[in-house]
Structures are given as C-alpha cells and as structure tokens.
Amino acid sequence: LEEHARAVDVLLRGAANLGRVVIVTMAAEGWIEQTIEKLMPCVKETLDELQIPVSLARVGVSTRCMREAFADERSPSHFLKRRAMAKAIRESGRSKNHVWKHIVSIGDSEAEQYALQDLMMSRFPHARDCGWTNSNCKTVKLMAESTLAELTAQVRTLAQWLPTIARHDGDLDFHTVEDEPLLP
C-alpha cells in the first residue's frame, strides 16, 4: 500500500505541475478523506499541500436532478460526473481567468470518459466564459477492478505519460484492457 501511495503522490504532483487538478468522484461524503487519511496519509498531505479539491458528484444534488440522472439514457454516474466536471471547469475558469486548452479525465469506468467527451462535445452554455471553446479532450480509462499491483503499475505508467498526453495538441482516448499495457 505504501508503494501505491508513493505512485499516486508522484502522479498528483506531476499532474499539478501541468495544470489545475480536480478529483471528481461518486464516493459518499467523507469517504475519500477518511480512506486516504487512514490508508495513504502521504496522499492526504499531497492533496492538502497542492490544494487539490475533491468534487463529490452525488453530494448536494437535488431530487429533481437525481430523477434526471436515472431517467437519462446514460448511466447515473455519467450524468452526475458530467455535471460535476462542468461545475469544476466553470468554477476554475472564473477564479483564474484560465484558458482551458487541454482537459484530461482519468478513471476506471466509462462514466468519466463519456462524461468529459459529452461535456466537451456539447460545449455547455458557459464555455466561452470559461475560455475552453478550442479545448482538447483527453481521456484515460484504467482497468476496472484491478488488483493493487495492477493499479500501481497503471498509475506509474500514467505518471510517465501524462506530460505527453496533456500537451498533445488534439483529442486522445486511451483504454486499458486486461493483459495489455496502458499505452501503445
């Protein structure tokens, strides 16, 4: 677990050196903080030091919005993560007058991948205000239900490739599959 925590720390620091980092999760309120504090305290310190916010996609969602999430033809996770990503981008854009040229989503389900792709394709109404009308969408889908060793290997590989992925001038979409490397 310590080895994995070190790999996550390297990935977070590398990502923060490239730009703004926000973690969007379907986790319940307090779960991320409690789990990281108990199992990977160095990662909690890194999140605090780098001021990386954790956005809880299903917290503070109205009943009407939850009905929309379940009525939509997409999965509720996709709907709620798309909504949380849009909010994070909108809020970060306002606070720093930042131009969003490259936006990267990393996750172990298709919900993250499809949420960002859907968001980028739709260019939600506030896109011009956030400065991301010509942004590039990059998604990395990690293996679902990986062992700790597999996840650590994926995180390490991703940390090495993230600068190339983030700086690529175009859209990218990577998938991991069992018995195949993270990237070609």
Side-chain angles (χ1 to χ4, degrees), residues 1-8 39-43 148 152 156:
L1 198 52
E2 287 178 28
E3 186 179 331
H4 181 69
R6 282 191 301 273
V8 171
L39 300 176
M40 299 189 300
C42 74
V43 172
L148 183 59
T152 301
R156 284 186 176 140

Side-chain angles (χ1 to χ4, degrees), residues 6 10 18 30 85 113 116 124 168-169:
R6 282 191 301 273
V10 168
L18 294 166
M85 286 177 183
Q113 173 192 19
L116 183 62
F124 74 100
H168 174 74
D169 196 18

Side-chain angles (χ1 to χ4, degrees), residues 21-60:
V21 178
V22 178
I23 296 173
V24 176
T25 180
M26 289 295 292
E29 193 166 11
W31 188 87
I32 294 285
E33 293 81 2
Q34 291 169 4
T35 303
I36 289 175
E37 189 171 330
K38 187 175 185 178
L39 300 176
M40 299 189 300
C42 74
V43 172
K44 182 189 181 328
E45 292 170 12
T46 302
L47 292 174
D48 292 343
E49 175 190 332
L50 301 175
Q51 298 178 351
I52 296 175
V54 176
S55 174
L56 305 173
R58 63 181 178 167
V59 172

Side-chain angles (χ1 to χ4, degrees), residues 9-176:
D9 180 76
V10 168
L11 177 62
L12 289 172
R13 289 181 184 284
N17 282 333
L18 294 166
R20 177 89 169 119
V21 178
V22 178
I23 296 173
V24 176
T25 180
M26 289 295 292
E29 193 166 11
W31 188 87
I32 294 285
E33 293 81 2
Q34 291 169 4
T35 303
I36 289 175
E37 189 171 330
K38 187 175 185 178
L39 300 176
M40 299 189 300
C42 74
V43 172
K44 182 189 181 328
E45 292 170 12
T46 302
L47 292 174
D48 292 343
E49 175 190 332
L50 301 175
Q51 298 178 351
I52 296 175
V54 176
S55 174
L56 305 173
R58 63 181 178 167
V59 172
V61 177
S62 70
T63 304
R64 181 187 65 75
C65 189
M66 284 301 280
R67 276 195 302 264
E68 277 183 59
F70 282 93
D72 197 359
E73 291 185 20
R74 294 168 286 196
S75 76
S77 294
H78 172 181
F79 180 90
L80 294 171
K81 284 197 173 190
R82 180 188 187 282
R83 184 178 168 274
M85 286 177 183
K87 181 180 178 187
I89 291 168
R90 195 170 43 248
E91 287 177 355
S92 293
R94 277 191 205 138
S95 65
K96 295 187 177 187
N97 195 20
H98 187 82
V99 175
W100 290 95
K101 177 70 175 156
H102 305 283
I103 301 177
V104 182
S105 170
I106 302 164
D108 66 352
S109 79
E110 292 177 339
E112 296 90 2
Q113 173 192 19
Y114 295 153
L116 183 62
Q117 289 172 342
D118 185 30
L119 186 60
M120 297 296 287
M121 296 233 186
S122 70
R123 308 280 199 229
F124 74 100
H126 304 290
R128 291 191 191 280
D129 298 338
C130 294
W132 60 295
T133 56
N134 294 315
S135 299
N136 295 307
C137 174
K138 293 100 184 296
T139 63
V140 178
K141 186 195 169 292
L142 304 173
M143 289 189 319
E145 301 180 24
S146 301
T147 66
L148 183 59
E150 290 169 334
L151 184 56
T152 301
Q154 291 175 84
V155 168
R156 284 186 176 140
T157 302
L158 184 55
Q160 292 172 349
W161 279 92
L162 191 58
T164 303
I165 292 168
R167 292 182 181 122
H168 174 74
D169 196 18
D171 296 338
L172 292 174
D173 186 30
F174 290 109
H175 296 261
T176 56

